[in-house]
Amino acid sequence: MTFQKTPLAIALLATLSFPAWAEDDHGHDHDTAPAKSESHADESHDDHDAHDAHEEEEETAHNHEAEHGEHEDEETTLELTGEQQKMLDLQVITLQPDANASLTLTVPAEIISNQYRTWVVPVRIDSQVQSRSATLGQHMEKGDAIATLFSPAMAQLQSELQVAVDGWRRVRNLGRRAVGNQRYLDAQSQYQSLRARARGYGLSDDAITDIEAGKSEKGIYTLTAPDEGLVLEDAFQQGQWLTAGSALVTLVDESELWAEAALPPSPGLQIATGTPARVIVGDTSVEGQVIQSGHRLNPVTRTLSVRVAVPNAGHLLHPGMFADVALSLSAPENALTVPEEALTRSADGDWQLFVEEEPGHYKPVEIELHGQLANRRIVTGMEPGTRVVTRGAFFLASEMAKSGFDIHNH
């Protein structure tokens, strides 16, 4: 019989040629070894591919960073054509030191009474208010009656003073030689002591003269204004008993007030006495000057107190008003200044100026502010001779912020 060499026949012959024991003893080794070899080859190939991919990613990232950096550099400089500059009416100035510059420091303040021209009129002895003559807000002249009071201590003083003045008159008329030196001195001392006590109780010279003449009512006396002023406080009522030392009224001369300003603590900041200052309350502005500068921080507000004397002609200002105080200070030597319109804010909120690198090319540069000169500001972080944009700076900043500036006008 002839055996045809078909694929099926060939497979059958191959099976019959190898005994079963050969498959058991050597099948594993022959099958496994090639598998391991193939696995190793596959792993090596995968590692190589991964390494190549990693290098490719690093190169791509590096190229991306370089391109991004170049892109950022391009974005930080704005380019304008001559036509665009003319359309914006762009103006550029050259920074130059200002040797005679003076800066203005504006701080909050409160209008208070001039403590050197304020009087507290107290009750010197226990007394009862009989009647009042002064009212809150009333302008009083020196010697005007404030209130009439009654006091037992005053009644006793009046009696003693009348006796003492009579005794002193007799002794003085007789003369030192007739009455003896000791009696003369005793009568004089007694009279002067009682008269001084009357002044201590708050009586005027006219009131003391009336007591000596017997024209006063026992225990009744009147307190008067020690000087010209406005009744700022009056914490008493008719019929009220007041103990010695109680304040009857507070008078203040409002022809000159104080503005108490609060300065933030700053090393090296010194406000000299006599420094010009402008006190601003709403639309009212009054020129004054510094009369006192504190050297110790307020423990609550952590600020330094500066006192400004303010003329108050026409009584435009009153204690308790809030105000702003603009202090005129000497600027640092050779300070660089720019107009307010040149200042803009960067994306992170810092102050910046647009520097003209060359005509038509403008780059934002961050700076620091160090005070105000009227409508100009002192800046640091720039070199003299730098050309900066004034008019048009706001437009450049806004276009850069919204990334809508087309430098080629496409």
Side-chain angles (χ1 to χ4, degrees):
M1 183 176 76
T2 303
F3 187 85
Q4 296 182 356
K5 295 182 180 180
T6 62
L8 180 59
I10 294 173
L12 181 59
L13 287 174
T15 303
L16 295 176
S17 300
F18 295 95
W21 58 266
E23 183 177 346
D24 293 339
D25 292 345
H26 302 285
H28 177 74
D29 294 339
H30 287 284
D31 293 341
T32 306
K36 289 184 177 180
S37 178
E38 291 177 2
S39 175
H40 178 70
D42 292 342
E43 290 178 359
S44 300
H45 181 71
D46 291 342
D47 291 344
H48 181 70
D49 290 345
H51 180 70
D52 290 345
H54 180 67
E55 289 183 347
E56 185 176 353
E57 289 177 358
E58 288 184 345
E59 183 176 359
T60 302
H62 178 73
N63 292 337
H64 176 72
E65 290 176 358
E67 292 176 0
H68 184 65
E70 292 176 0
H71 183 64
E72 284 185 346
D73 289 341
E74 291 178 358
E75 284 187 344
T76 55
T77 300
L78 299 180
E79 182 178 348
L80 273 68
T81 65
E83 183 180 350
Q84 289 172 327
Q85 297 175 49
K86 184 177 180 180
M87 178 183 67
L88 296 175
D89 193 19
L90 209 68
Q91 292 188 359
V92 180
I93 63 171
T94 301
L95 297 183
Q96 296 294 344
D98 190 347
N100 299 319
S102 61
L103 61 89
T104 300
L105 177 63
T106 302
V107 292
E110 181 182 358
I111 305 299
I112 64 174
S113 303
N114 183 338
Q115 299 299 313
Y116 298 157
R117 295 192 60 81
T118 300
W119 296 267
V120 175
V121 182
V123 174
R124 315 292 179 86
I125 51 178
D126 293 350
S127 304
Q128 183 185 34
V129 179
Q130 298 292 300
S131 63
R132 64 183 305 157
S133 303
T135 58
L136 189 65
Q138 178 182 348
H139 182 80
M140 309 196 73
E141 300 293 338
K142 183 177 181 179
D144 287 350
I146 296 175
T148 300
L149 306 100
F150 167 79
S151 173
M154 180 60 72
Q156 181 179 356
L157 172 66
Q158 290 168 337
S159 298
E160 294 176 355
L161 182 57
Q162 286 179 342
V163 173
V165 71
D166 288 341
W168 166 240
R169 285 171 183 162
R170 288 194 301 269
V171 169
R172 186 179 57 185
N173 290 335
L174 291 174
R176 187 189 301 264
R177 181 174 300 179
V179 300
N181 188 58
Q182 187 61 46
R183 183 181 174 186
Y184 186 91
L185 293 177
D186 288 344
Q188 185 185 43
S189 177
Q190 181 70 11
Y191 167 69
Q192 292 177 345
S193 177
L194 290 171
R195 190 177 176 87
R197 191 196 303 178
R199 288 198 184 97
Y201 286 173
L203 298 183
S204 63
D205 288 341
D206 291 340
I208 295 174
T209 300
D210 289 341
I211 293 174
E212 294 176 354
K215 297 179 180 180
S216 63
E217 185 179 354
K218 289 294 186 288
I220 302 297
Y221 69 103
T222 300
L223 290 181
T224 60
D227 208 336
E228 178 185 358
L230 187 77
V231 179
L232 191 64
E233 297 178 3
D234 62 340
F236 72 96
Q237 297 176 345
Q238 296 181 135
Q240 180 179 359
W241 274 96
L242 301 174
T243 58
S246 298
L248 195 65
V249 296
T250 299
L251 299 176
V252 58
D253 180 5
E254 285 198 325
S255 62
E256 182 181 89
L257 298 176
W258 288 348
E260 196 84 3
L263 269 66
S266 178
L269 178 61
Q270 295 182 353
I271 310 298
T273 300
T275 298
R278 188 171 71 259
V279 179
I280 306 166
V281 180
D283 296 331
T284 301
S285 179
V286 182
E287 299 297 327
Q289 68 174 9
V290 174
I291 60 172
Q292 186 177 359
S293 180
H295 297 276
R296 185 177 181 179
L297 290 178
N298 184 302
V300 177
T301 62
R302 309 304 297 170
T303 57
L304 285 173
S305 176
V306 171
R307 186 170 291 166
V308 177
V310 190
N312 191 30
H315 298 279
L316 298 176
L317 306 179
H318 301 284
M321 287 181 169
F322 291 108
D324 288 322
V325 170
L327 300 168
S328 298
L329 309 177
S330 297
E333 186 176 358
N334 295 326
L336 297 177
T337 66
V338 296
E340 292 278 0
E341 62 180 346
L343 296 167
T344 59
R345 293 279 192 177
S346 64
D348 55 3
D350 294 327
W351 290 108
Q352 66 179 10
L353 295 173
F354 278 92
V355 175
E356 184 185 60
E357 296 182 319
E358 58 181 284
H361 293 77
Y362 308 97
K363 182 177 181 179
V365 177
E366 292 186 357
I367 49 89
E368 292 184 1
L369 301 182
H370 293 276
Q372 181 171 348
L373 297 84
N375 61 341
R376 300 178 68 86
R377 301 295 291 271
I378 298 175
V379 300
T380 57
M382 290 282 179
E383 294 295 329
T386 303
R387 290 180 58 78
V388 298
V389 178
T390 55
R391 183 182 301 171
F394 177 77
F395 174 81
L396 298 181
S398 61
E399 292 299 329
M400 176 170 284
K402 66 183 182 182
S403 300
F405 189 83
D406 185 359
I407 61 175
H408 298 296
N409 198 25
H410 287 170

